[in-house]
Structure formats: structure tokens, C-alpha cells
Coordinates of all heavy atoms in Angstrom, one line a residue:
I196 N -30.0 83.5 36.8 CA -29.7 84.5 37.9 C -29.3 83.7 39.1 O -30.0 82.8 39.6 CB -31.0 85.3 38.2 CG1 -31.4 86.1 37.0 CG2 -30.7 86.2 39.4 CD1 -32.6 87.0 37.2
A197 N -28.2 84.0 39.6 CA -27.6 83.3 40.8 C -28.3 83.9 42.1 O -28.5 85.2 42.2 CB -26.1 83.5 40.9
K198 N -28.6 83.1 43.0 CA -29.2 83.5 44.3 C -28.0 84.0 45.2 O -27.0 83.4 45.2 CB -29.9 82.4 45.0 CG -31.2 82.1 44.3 CD -31.9 80.8 44.9 CE -32.2 80.8 46.3 NZ -33.0 79.7 46.7
Q199 N -28.3 85.1 45.8 CA -27.3 85.7 46.7 C -27.9 85.9 48.1 O -29.0 86.4 48.2 CB -26.7 87.0 46.2 CG -25.9 86.8 44.9 CD -25.3 88.1 44.5 OE1 -25.8 89.2 44.8 NE2 -24.3 88.1 43.7
Q200 N -27.2 85.6 49.1 CA -27.7 86.0 50.5 C -27.5 87.5 50.7 O -26.6 88.1 50.2 CB -26.8 85.2 51.5 CG -27.3 85.6 52.9 CD -26.6 84.8 54.0 OE1 -25.9 83.8 53.7 NE2 -26.7 85.2 55.2
L201 N -28.5 88.0 51.3 CA -28.4 89.5 51.6 C -27.3 89.7 52.6 O -27.2 88.9 53.5 CB -29.8 90.0 52.2 CG -31.0 89.8 51.2 CD1 -32.2 90.3 52.0 CD2 -30.8 90.7 50.0
Q202 N -26.6 90.7 52.4 CA -25.5 91.0 53.3 C -25.9 92.2 54.1 O -26.1 93.3 53.7 CB -24.2 91.4 52.5 CG -23.7 90.2 51.8 CD -22.5 90.5 50.9 OE1 -22.1 91.6 50.9 NE2 -21.9 89.5 50.3
I203 N -26.2 91.9 55.4 CA -26.6 93.0 56.3 C -25.6 93.1 57.4 O -25.1 92.1 58.0 CB -28.0 92.6 57.0 CG1 -29.1 92.7 55.9 CG2 -28.3 93.6 58.1 CD1 -30.5 92.4 56.4
Y204 N -25.1 94.4 57.6 CA -24.1 94.7 58.6 C -24.9 95.2 59.9 O -25.7 96.0 59.8 CB -23.2 95.8 58.1 CG -22.3 96.3 59.2 CD1 -21.3 95.6 59.8 CD2 -22.5 97.6 59.7 CE1 -20.5 96.1 60.8 CE2 -21.8 98.1 60.7 CZ -20.8 97.4 61.3 OH -20.0 97.9 62.3
V205 N -24.6 94.6 61.0 CA -25.2 95.0 62.3 C -24.2 95.6 63.2 O -23.3 94.9 63.7 CB -25.9 93.7 62.9 CG1 -26.6 94.2 64.2 CG2 -26.8 93.0 62.0
P206 N -24.2 96.9 63.4 CA -23.2 97.5 64.3 C -23.3 97.0 65.7 O -24.4 96.6 66.1 CB -23.7 99.0 64.2 CG -24.5 99.2 63.0 CD -25.2 97.8 62.8
N207 N -22.2 96.9 66.4 CA -22.2 96.3 67.7 C -22.3 97.4 68.8 O -22.3 97.0 70.0 CB -21.0 95.4 67.9 CG -19.7 96.1 67.8 OD1 -19.6 97.3 67.6 ND2 -18.7 95.3 67.9
A208 N -22.3 98.7 68.5 CA -22.4 99.7 69.5 C -22.9 101.0 68.9 O -22.8 101.2 67.6 CB -21.0 100.0 70.1
F209 N -23.5 101.9 69.7 CA -23.9 103.2 69.2 C -23.9 104.2 70.4 O -24.0 103.8 71.6 CB -25.2 103.2 68.5 CG -26.4 103.1 69.3 CD1 -27.4 104.1 69.3 CD2 -26.7 101.9 70.0 CE1 -28.6 103.9 70.0 CE2 -27.9 101.7 70.7 CZ -28.8 102.8 70.7
T210 N -23.9 105.5 70.1 CA -23.9 106.5 71.1 C -25.0 107.6 70.8 O -24.8 108.4 70.0 CB -22.6 107.3 71.2 OG1 -22.2 107.7 69.9 CG2 -21.5 106.3 71.6
P211 N -26.2 107.4 71.4 CA -27.3 108.3 71.0 C -27.0 109.8 71.2 O -27.6 110.6 70.4 CB -28.4 107.9 72.0 CG -28.1 106.5 72.4 CD -26.6 106.4 72.4
E212 N -26.2 110.2 72.1 CA -25.9 111.6 72.3 C -24.6 112.0 71.6 O -24.2 113.2 71.6 CB -25.7 111.9 73.8 CG -27.0 112.1 74.5 CD -27.5 110.7 75.1 OE1 -26.7 109.8 75.3 OE2 -28.7 110.5 75.2
G213 N -24.0 111.1 70.9 CA -22.8 111.4 70.1 C -23.0 112.2 68.9 O -24.1 112.4 68.4
A214 N -21.9 112.6 68.3 CA -22.0 113.4 67.0 C -22.4 112.5 65.8 O -23.0 112.9 64.9 CB -20.7 114.0 66.7
E215 N -22.0 111.2 65.9 CA -22.4 110.2 64.9 C -23.0 109.0 65.6 O -23.0 108.9 66.8 CB -21.1 109.7 64.2 CG -20.4 110.8 63.4 CD -19.2 110.3 62.7 OE1 -19.0 109.1 62.5 OE2 -18.3 111.2 62.4
N216 N -23.6 108.1 64.9 CA -24.2 106.9 65.4 C -25.3 107.1 66.4 O -25.3 106.5 67.4 CB -23.1 106.0 66.0 CG -22.0 105.7 65.0 OD1 -22.3 105.4 63.9 ND2 -20.8 105.7 65.5
K217 N -26.1 108.1 66.2 CA -27.2 108.5 67.1 C -28.3 107.5 67.1 O -29.1 107.4 68.1 CB -27.7 109.8 66.8 CG -26.8 110.9 67.1 CD -27.4 112.3 66.7 CE -26.4 113.4 67.0 NZ -26.8 114.3 67.9
V218 N -28.5 106.7 66.0 CA -29.5 105.7 65.9 C -28.9 104.4 65.5 O -28.0 104.4 64.6 CB -30.6 106.1 64.9 CG1 -31.6 105.0 64.6 CG2 -31.3 107.4 65.3
W219 N -29.3 103.3 66.2 CA -28.8 102.0 65.8 C -29.7 101.3 64.9 O -30.9 101.2 65.2 CB -28.6 101.2 67.1 CG -28.1 99.8 66.9 CD1 -26.8 99.4 66.7 CD2 -28.9 98.6 66.8 NE1 -26.8 98.1 66.5 CE2 -28.0 97.6 66.5 CE3 -30.3 98.4 66.9 CZ2 -28.5 96.3 66.3 CZ3 -30.7 97.1 66.7 CH2 -29.8 96.1 66.4
K220 N -29.2 100.7 63.8 CA -30.0 99.9 62.9 C -29.0 99.1 62.0 O -28.0 99.6 61.7 CB -31.0 100.7 62.1 CG -30.3 101.6 61.1 CD -31.4 102.4 60.3 CE -30.7 103.3 59.4 NZ -31.6 104.0 58.5
P221 N -29.4 97.9 61.7 CA -28.7 97.2 60.7 C -28.8 97.9 59.3 O -29.7 98.6 59.0 CB -29.4 95.8 60.6 CG -30.1 95.7 61.9 CD -30.5 97.1 62.3
V222 N -27.7 97.7 58.5 CA -27.7 98.4 57.2 C -27.3 97.3 56.2 O -26.6 96.4 56.4 CB -26.7 99.5 57.2 CG1 -27.2 100.7 58.0 CG2 -25.3 99.1 57.6
S223 N -27.8 97.5 55.0 CA -27.6 96.6 53.9 C -27.4 97.4 52.6 O -28.0 98.4 52.4 CB -28.8 95.6 53.7 OG -28.6 94.8 52.6
R224 N -26.6 96.8 51.7 CA -26.5 97.4 50.4 C -27.6 97.0 49.4 O -27.7 97.4 48.3 CB -25.1 97.2 49.8 CG -24.8 95.7 49.6 CD -23.3 95.6 49.2 NE -23.0 94.2 49.0 CZ -22.6 93.7 47.8 NH1 -22.5 94.4 46.8 NH2 -22.4 92.4 47.7
W225 N -28.4 96.0 49.9 CA -29.4 95.4 49.0 C -30.7 96.1 49.3 O -31.0 96.5 50.4 CB -29.6 93.9 49.4 CG -28.4 93.1 49.1 CD1 -27.4 92.8 50.0 CD2 -27.9 92.6 47.8 NE1 -26.4 92.1 49.4 CE2 -26.7 92.0 48.1 CE3 -28.4 92.7 46.5 CZ2 -26.0 91.4 47.0 CZ3 -27.7 92.1 45.5 CH2 -26.5 91.4 45.8
M226 N -31.5 96.3 48.2 CA -32.8 97.0 48.4 C -34.0 96.0 48.6 O -34.9 96.4 49.2 CB -33.1 97.8 47.1 CG -32.0 98.9 46.9 SD -31.9 100.1 48.2 CE -33.5 100.9 48.1
N227 N -33.9 94.8 48.1 CA -35.0 93.9 48.2 C -34.9 93.0 49.4 O -34.6 91.9 49.4 CB -35.2 93.0 46.9 CG -34.0 93.0 46.1 OD1 -33.1 93.8 46.2 ND2 -34.0 92.1 45.1
I228 N -35.3 93.7 50.5 CA -35.4 92.9 51.8 C -36.9 92.9 52.2 O -37.6 93.9 52.1 CB -34.6 93.7 52.9 CG1 -33.1 93.7 52.6 CG2 -34.9 93.1 54.3 CD1 -32.3 94.6 53.6
Y229 N -37.3 91.7 52.5 CA -38.7 91.5 52.7 C -39.0 90.9 54.1 O -38.0 90.3 54.7 CB -39.3 90.5 51.7 CG -39.2 91.0 50.3 CD1 -38.1 90.6 49.5 CD2 -40.0 92.0 49.8 CE1 -37.9 91.1 48.2 CE2 -39.9 92.5 48.5 CZ -38.8 92.0 47.7 OH -38.6 92.5 46.4
N230 N -40.2 91.0 54.6 CA -40.5 90.4 55.9 C -39.5 90.7 57.0 O -39.2 89.9 57.9 CB -40.7 88.9 55.8 CG -41.6 88.5 54.7 OD1 -42.7 89.0 54.6 ND2 -41.2 87.5 53.9
Y231 N -39.1 92.0 57.0 CA -38.1 92.5 58.0 C -38.7 92.6 59.4 O -39.8 93.2 59.5 CB -37.6 93.8 57.5 CG -36.5 94.5 58.3 CD1 -35.2 94.1 58.1 CD2 -36.8 95.4 59.2 CE1 -34.2 94.8 58.8 CE2 -35.8 96.0 60.0 CZ -34.5 95.7 59.7 OH -33.5 96.3 60.4
Q232 N -38.0 92.1 60.3 CA -38.5 92.2 61.7 C -37.2 92.4 62.6 O -36.3 91.6 62.5 CB -39.2 91.0 62.2 CG -40.5 90.7 61.5 CD -41.1 89.3 61.9 OE1 -40.4 88.5 62.4 NE2 -42.4 89.2 61.6
L233 N -37.2 93.4 63.4 CA -36.1 93.7 64.3 C -36.6 94.1 65.7 O -37.5 94.9 65.8 CB -35.3 94.9 63.7 CG -34.1 95.5 64.6 CD1 -33.0 94.4 64.8 CD2 -33.6 96.8 64.1
S234 N -36.0 93.4 66.7 CA -36.4 93.7 68.1 C -35.1 93.8 68.9 O -34.1 93.2 68.6 CB -37.2 92.6 68.6 OG -38.5 92.5 68.0
V235 N -35.2 94.7 69.9 CA -34.1 94.9 70.9 C -34.7 94.6 72.3 O -35.8 95.1 72.6 CB -33.5 96.3 70.8 CG1 -32.4 96.5 71.8 CG2 -33.0 96.6 69.4
F236 N -33.9 93.9 73.1 CA -34.4 93.5 74.4 C -33.3 93.8 75.4 O -32.1 93.8 75.1 CB -34.6 91.9 74.4 CG -35.6 91.4 73.4 CD1 -35.2 91.1 72.2 CD2 -36.9 91.3 73.8 CE1 -36.1 90.6 71.3 CE2 -37.8 90.9 72.9 CZ -37.4 90.5 71.6
T237 N -33.7 93.9 76.7 CA -32.7 93.9 77.8 C -32.2 92.5 78.0 O -32.8 91.6 77.4 CB -33.4 94.4 79.1 OG1 -34.3 93.4 79.5 CG2 -34.0 95.8 79.0
R238 N -31.2 92.4 78.8 CA -30.7 91.0 79.0 C -31.7 90.2 79.8 O -31.6 89.0 79.8 CB -29.3 91.1 79.7 CG -28.2 91.6 78.8 CD -26.9 91.5 79.4 NE -26.7 92.7 80.2 CZ -25.6 93.0 80.9 NH1 -24.6 92.1 80.9 NH2 -25.5 94.1 81.5
K239 N -32.6 90.8 80.5 CA -33.7 90.1 81.2 C -34.9 89.7 80.3 O -35.8 89.1 80.7 CB -34.2 91.0 82.4 CG -33.1 91.2 83.4 CD -33.7 92.0 84.6 CE -32.6 92.2 85.6 NZ -33.2 93.0 86.7
G240 N -34.8 90.2 79.0 CA -35.9 89.8 78.1 C -37.0 90.8 77.9 O -37.9 90.5 77.1
E241 N -36.9 92.0 78.4 CA -37.9 93.0 78.2 C -37.6 93.7 76.9 O -36.5 94.2 76.6 CB -37.8 94.1 79.3 CG -38.9 95.2 79.2 CD -38.8 96.2 80.3 OE1 -37.9 96.2 81.1 OE2 -39.7 97.0 80.4
E242 N -38.7 93.7 76.0 CA -38.5 94.4 74.7 C -38.5 95.9 74.8 O -39.3 96.5 75.4 CB -39.7 93.9 73.8 CG -39.4 94.4 72.4 CD -40.5 93.8 71.4 OE1 -41.7 94.1 71.7 OE2 -40.1 93.1 70.5
M243 N -37.4 96.5 74.3 CA -37.2 97.9 74.3 C -37.6 98.6 73.0 O -38.0 99.8 73.0 CB -35.7 98.2 74.5 CG -35.1 97.7 75.8 SD -35.5 98.8 77.2 CE -36.8 97.9 78.0
F244 N -37.6 97.8 71.9 CA -37.8 98.4 70.6 C -38.1 97.3 69.6 O -37.6 96.2 69.7 CB -36.5 99.1 70.1 CG -36.5 99.6 68.7 CD1 -37.2 100.8 68.3 CD2 -35.9 98.9 67.7 CE1 -37.2 101.2 67.0 CE2 -35.9 99.3 66.4 CZ -36.6 100.5 66.1
N245 N -39.0 97.6 68.6 CA -39.2 96.7 67.5 C -39.7 97.5 66.3 O -40.3 98.6 66.4 CB -40.2 95.6 67.9 CG -41.6 96.1 68.1 OD1 -42.2 96.6 67.1 ND2 -42.1 96.0 69.3
T246 N -39.4 97.0 65.1 CA -39.8 97.6 63.9 C -39.9 96.6 62.8 O -39.2 95.5 62.9 CB -38.9 98.8 63.5 OG1 -39.4 99.4 62.3 CG2 -37.5 98.3 63.2
N247 N -40.7 96.9 61.8 CA -40.6 96.1 60.6 C -40.2 96.9 59.4 O -40.5 96.5 58.2 CB -42.0 95.4 60.3 CG -43.1 96.4 60.2 OD1 -42.9 97.6 60.1 ND2 -44.3 95.9 60.0
K248 N -39.6 98.1 59.6 CA -39.2 99.0 58.6 C -37.7 99.1 58.6 O -37.1 99.4 59.6 CB -39.8 100.4 58.8 CG -41.3 100.4 58.7 CD -41.9 101.7 59.0 CE -43.4 101.6 58.9 NZ -44.0 102.9 59.2
T249 N -37.1 98.8 57.4 CA -35.6 98.8 57.3 C -35.0 100.2 57.6 O -33.8 100.2 57.9 CB -35.1 98.3 56.0 OG1 -35.7 99.1 54.9 CG2 -35.6 96.8 55.8
D250 N -35.7 101.2 57.4 CA -35.2 102.6 57.5 C -35.4 103.2 58.9 O -35.0 104.3 59.2 CB -35.7 103.5 56.5 CG -37.2 103.7 56.5 OD1 -37.9 102.8 57.1 OD2 -37.7 104.7 56.0
V251 N -35.9 102.4 59.8 CA -36.2 102.9 61.2 C -35.2 102.2 62.2 O -35.1 101.0 62.1 CB -37.7 102.6 61.6 CG1 -37.9 103.0 63.1 CG2 -38.6 103.3 60.7
G252 N -34.6 103.0 63.0 CA -33.6 102.4 63.9 C -34.0 102.8 65.4 O -34.9 103.6 65.6
W253 N -33.3 102.2 66.3 CA -33.5 102.5 67.7 C -32.6 103.7 68.2 O -31.4 103.7 68.0 CB -33.1 101.2 68.5 CG -33.4 101.3 70.0 CD1 -34.5 101.9 70.6 CD2 -32.6 100.8 71.0 NE1 -34.4 101.7 72.0 CE2 -33.2 101.1 72.3 CE3 -31.3 100.1 71.1 CZ2 -32.7 100.7 73.5 CZ3 -30.8 99.8 72.3 CH2 -31.5 100.1 73.5
D254 N -33.3 104.6 68.9 CA -32.6 105.8 69.4 C -32.2 105.7 70.8 O -31.8 106.7 71.4 CB -33.5 107.0 69.2 CG -34.8 107.0 70.0 OD1 -35.0 106.0 70.7 OD2 -35.5 108.0 69.9
G255 N -32.2 104.5 71.4 CA -31.8 104.4 72.8 C -32.8 104.8 73.9 O -32.5 105.1 75.0
T256 N -34.1 104.8 73.4 CA -35.2 105.2 74.4 C -36.2 104.1 74.5 O -36.2 103.2 73.6 CB -35.9 106.5 73.9 OG1 -36.5 106.3 72.7 CG2 -34.9 107.7 73.8
F257 N -37.0 104.1 75.6 CA -38.1 103.2 75.8 C -39.2 104.0 76.5 O -38.9 104.6 77.5 CB -37.6 102.0 76.6 CG -38.7 101.1 76.9 CD1 -39.3 100.3 75.9 CD2 -39.2 100.9 78.2 CE1 -40.3 99.4 76.2 CE2 -40.2 100.0 78.5 CZ -40.8 99.3 77.5
N258 N -40.4 104.0 75.9 CA -41.5 104.7 76.4 C -41.2 106.2 76.7 O -41.6 106.8 77.7 CB -42.0 104.1 77.7 CG -42.8 102.8 77.5 OD1 -43.3 102.6 76.4 ND2 -42.9 102.0 78.5
G259 N -40.4 106.8 75.8 CA -40.1 108.2 75.8 C -38.9 108.6 76.7 O -38.5 109.7 76.8
G260 N -38.3 107.6 77.4 CA -37.2 107.9 78.3 C -35.9 107.2 77.9 O -36.0 106.2 77.2
K261 N -34.8 107.8 78.2 CA -33.5 107.2 77.9 C -33.3 106.0 78.7 O -33.5 105.9 79.9 CB -32.4 108.2 78.2 CG -32.4 109.5 77.4 CD -31.3 110.4 77.8 CE -31.4 111.7 77.0 NZ -30.3 112.6 77.5
V262 N -32.8 104.9 78.0 CA -32.4 103.7 78.7 C -31.0 103.8 79.1 O -30.2 104.6 78.5 CB -32.6 102.4 77.8 CG1 -34.1 102.3 77.4 CG2 -31.7 102.4 76.6
P263 N -30.6 103.1 80.2 CA -29.2 103.2 80.7 C -28.2 102.6 79.7 O -28.5 101.7 79.0 CB -29.2 102.5 82.0 CG -30.4 101.6 81.9 CD -31.4 102.2 81.0
P264 N -26.9 103.1 79.8 CA -25.9 102.4 79.0 C -25.8 100.9 79.5 O -25.8 100.6 80.6 CB -24.6 103.1 79.4 CG -25.0 104.3 80.2 CD -26.4 104.1 80.6
D265 N -25.7 100.0 78.5 CA -25.7 98.6 78.8 C -25.5 97.8 77.5 O -25.5 98.4 76.4 CB -27.0 98.2 79.5 CG -26.9 97.0 80.3 OD1 -25.9 96.2 80.2 OD2 -27.8 96.7 81.1
V266 N -25.5 96.6 77.6 CA -25.5 95.7 76.5 C -26.9 95.1 76.3 O -27.5 94.6 77.2 CB -24.5 94.5 76.7 CG1 -24.5 93.5 75.5 CG2 -23.0 95.0 76.9
Y267 N -27.4 95.3 75.1 CA -28.8 94.9 74.8 C -28.7 93.8 73.7 O -27.7 93.6 73.0 CB -29.6 96.1 74.3 CG -29.8 97.1 75.3 CD1 -28.9 98.1 75.6 CD2 -30.9 97.0 76.2 CE1 -29.1 99.0 76.6 CE2 -31.1 98.0 77.2 CZ -30.2 98.9 77.4 OH -30.4 99.8 78.4
V268 N -29.7 93.0 73.7 CA -29.8 91.8 72.8 C -30.7 92.2 71.6 O -31.8 92.7 71.8 CB -30.3 90.6 73.5 CG1 -30.5 89.4 72.6 CG2 -29.4 90.2 74.7
Y269 N -30.3 91.9 70.4 CA -31.2 92.1 69.3 C -31.5 90.8 68.6 O -30.8 89.8 68.7 CB -30.5 93.0 68.2 CG -29.4 92.5 67.5 CD1 -29.6 91.7 66.3 CD2 -28.1 92.7 67.8 CE1 -28.5 91.1 65.6 CE2 -27.0 92.2 67.2 CZ -27.3 91.4 66.0 OH -26.2 90.8 65.4
W270 N -32.7 90.8 67.9 CA -33.1 89.6 67.1 C -33.5 90.2 65.8 O -34.3 91.2 65.7 CB -34.3 88.9 67.8 CG -35.0 87.9 66.9 CD1 -34.5 86.6 66.7 CD2 -36.2 88.0 66.3 NE1 -35.4 86.0 65.9 CE2 -36.4 86.8 65.6 CE3 -37.1 89.0 66.1 CZ2 -37.6 86.5 64.8 CZ3 -38.3 88.8 65.4 CH2 -38.5 87.5 64.7
L271 N -33.0 89.7 64.7 CA -33.3 90.2 63.3 C -33.7 89.0 62.4 O -33.0 88.0 62.4 CB -32.0 90.9 62.8 CG -32.1 91.3 61.3 CD1 -33.2 92.4 61.1 CD2 -30.7 91.8 60.9
K272 N -34.8 89.2 61.7 CA -35.3 88.2 60.8 C -35.7 88.9 59.5 O -36.3 90.0 59.6 CB -36.5 87.5 61.4 CG -36.9 86.3 60.5 CD -38.0 85.5 61.3 CE -38.5 84.4 60.5 NZ -39.6 83.6 61.2
Y273 N -35.3 88.4 58.3 CA -35.7 89.0 57.1 C -35.6 87.9 56.0 O -35.1 86.8 56.1 CB -34.7 90.1 56.7 CG -33.3 89.7 56.7 CD1 -32.7 89.4 55.5 CD2 -32.5 89.6 57.8 CE1 -31.4 89.0 55.4 CE2 -31.2 89.2 57.8 CZ -30.6 88.9 56.6 OH -29.3 88.5 56.5
S274 N -36.2 88.3 54.8 CA -36.2 87.4 53.7 C -35.7 88.1 52.4 O -35.7 89.4 52.4 CB -37.6 86.9 53.3 OG -38.2 86.2 54.4
N275 N -35.2 87.4 51.5 CA -34.8 88.0 50.2 C -35.9 87.8 49.1 O -36.9 87.2 49.4 CB -33.4 87.4 49.7 CG -33.5 85.9 49.4 OD1 -34.5 85.4 49.2 ND2 -32.3 85.3 49.3
A276 N -35.6 88.2 47.9 CA -36.6 88.2 46.8 C -36.9 86.8 46.4 O -38.0 86.5 45.8 CB -36.1 89.0 45.6
F277 N -36.1 85.8 46.8 CA -36.3 84.4 46.4 C -37.1 83.7 47.5 O -37.3 82.5 47.4 CB -35.0 83.7 46.2 CG -34.2 84.3 45.0 CD1 -33.1 85.1 45.3 CD2 -34.5 84.0 43.7 CE1 -32.4 85.7 44.3 CE2 -33.8 84.6 42.7 CZ -32.7 85.4 43.0
G278 N -37.4 84.4 48.6 CA -38.1 83.7 49.7 C -37.3 83.1 50.7 O -37.8 82.4 51.7
D279 N -35.9 83.2 50.6 CA -35.0 82.6 51.6 C -35.1 83.5 52.9 O -35.0 84.7 52.8 CB -33.6 82.6 51.1 CG -33.5 81.7 49.8 OD1 -34.1 80.7 49.7 OD2 -32.7 82.2 48.9
T280 N -35.3 82.8 54.0 CA -35.4 83.6 55.3 C -34.1 83.4 56.1 O -33.5 82.3 56.1 CB -36.6 83.0 56.1 OG1 -37.8 83.3 55.3 CG2 -36.7 83.8 57.4
Y281 N -33.7 84.5 56.7 CA -32.5 84.6 57.5 C -32.8 85.1 58.9 O -33.7 86.0 59.0 CB -31.4 85.4 56.9 CG -31.1 85.0 55.5 CD1 -31.7 85.6 54.4 CD2 -30.2 84.0 55.2 CE1 -31.4 85.2 53.1 CE2 -29.9 83.5 54.0 CZ -30.5 84.1 52.9 OH -30.2 83.7 51.6
E282 N -32.2 84.6 59.9 CA -32.4 85.0 61.3 C -31.1 85.1 62.0 O -30.2 84.3 61.8 CB -33.3 84.0 62.0 CG -33.7 84.4 63.3 CD -34.7 83.5 64.0 OE1 -35.4 82.8 63.2 OE2 -34.8 83.4 65.2
T283 N -30.9 86.2 62.7 CA -29.7 86.4 63.5 C -30.0 87.0 64.8 O -30.9 87.8 64.9 CB -28.6 87.2 62.7 OG1 -27.4 87.2 63.4 CG2 -29.1 88.6 62.4
R284 N -29.1 86.8 65.8 CA -29.2 87.4 67.1 C -27.9 87.8 67.5 O -26.8 87.2 67.1 CB -29.8 86.4 68.1 CG -31.1 85.9 67.8 CD -31.5 84.7 68.6 NE -32.7 84.0 68.0 CZ -33.7 83.6 68.6 NH1 -33.8 83.7 69.9 NH2 -34.7 83.1 68.0
G285 N -27.8 88.8 68.4 CA -26.5 89.3 68.9 C -26.7 90.3 69.9 O -27.8 90.5 70.5
T286 N -25.7 91.1 70.1 CA -25.7 92.1 71.2 C -25.3 93.5 70.6 O -24.5 93.5 69.6 CB -24.8 91.8 72.4 OG1 -23.5 91.7 71.9 CG2 -25.3 90.6 73.1
V287 N -25.8 94.5 71.2 CA -25.4 95.9 70.8 C -25.2 96.6 72.1 O -26.0 96.5 73.1 CB -26.5 96.6 69.9 CG1 -27.8 96.6 70.6 CG2 -26.0 98.0 69.6
T288 N -24.1 97.4 72.2 CA -23.7 98.2 73.4 C -24.2 99.6 73.2 O -23.8 100.2 72.2 CB -22.2 98.1 73.6 OG1 -21.8 96.7 73.8 CG2 -21.9 98.9 74.9
L289 N -25.0 100.1 74.1 CA -25.4 101.5 74.1 C -24.4 102.2 75.0 O -24.3 101.9 76.2 CB -26.8 101.6 74.6 CG -27.5 103.0 74.5 CD1 -29.0 102.8 74.3 CD2 -27.2 103.9 75.7
V290 N -23.8 103.3 74.5 CA -22.8 104.1 75.2 C -23.4 105.5 75.4 O -23.7 106.1 74.4 CB -21.5 104.1 74.5 CG1 -20.4 104.9 75.3 CG2 -20.9 102.7 74.3
R291 N -23.4 106.0 76.6 CA -23.9 107.4 76.8 C -22.7 108.2 77.3 O -21.9 107.8 78.0 CB -25.0 107.4 77.8 CG -26.3 106.8 77.2 CD -27.5 107.4 77.9 NE -28.7 106.7 77.5 CZ -29.4 107.1 76.4 NH1 -29.0 108.1 75.7 NH2 -30.5 106.4 76.0

């Protein structure tokens, strides 16, 4: 069996009040993702969102209130069935 890196697509923008893209989350065609950790931060480093569930995304809120449109930083870490760990960071733009 050949080892394959999990292919996860991370959208670079979303619109919580829009008709589509109301929740931001990475998506993958692979089912066996392990040790999943996702966090979203302001550019100043304040954590706005975190989850360890692949089916849970960020709705553009923090402590029950809407966050302003801006560019936010994400950090994503996960493993595959072979124990290989991957880590990526980037930005996501919230548009209201």
C-alpha cells in the first residue's frame, strides 16, 4: 500500500452572511484524518476559534458576537493513518 499525503483544501475567504460559504473550514476528500487541530487568530495573536473536529467550522463569531471583516490567521495540524503529521498556516479573509 502506497502512502499518500492527505489533500486538504483550505479556502482563503468566506462570507458568514452570504448565501454560500457561511462557515469556514478546511475540507478533504480523505476520511482518515487524525489528531486534527484547527485554530484561527487575529493578526495580533488573539485566538478567535479552535476545534479538533473536522466537521466543525468557524462562523465568524467570537464569544457570541460577530467579528469585524478582516484577514485572520489560521493554524492547522493533522495526521494520516500512517502517523505522518502535517502542519500548515495561512490566512483567511472574512467578508461581511
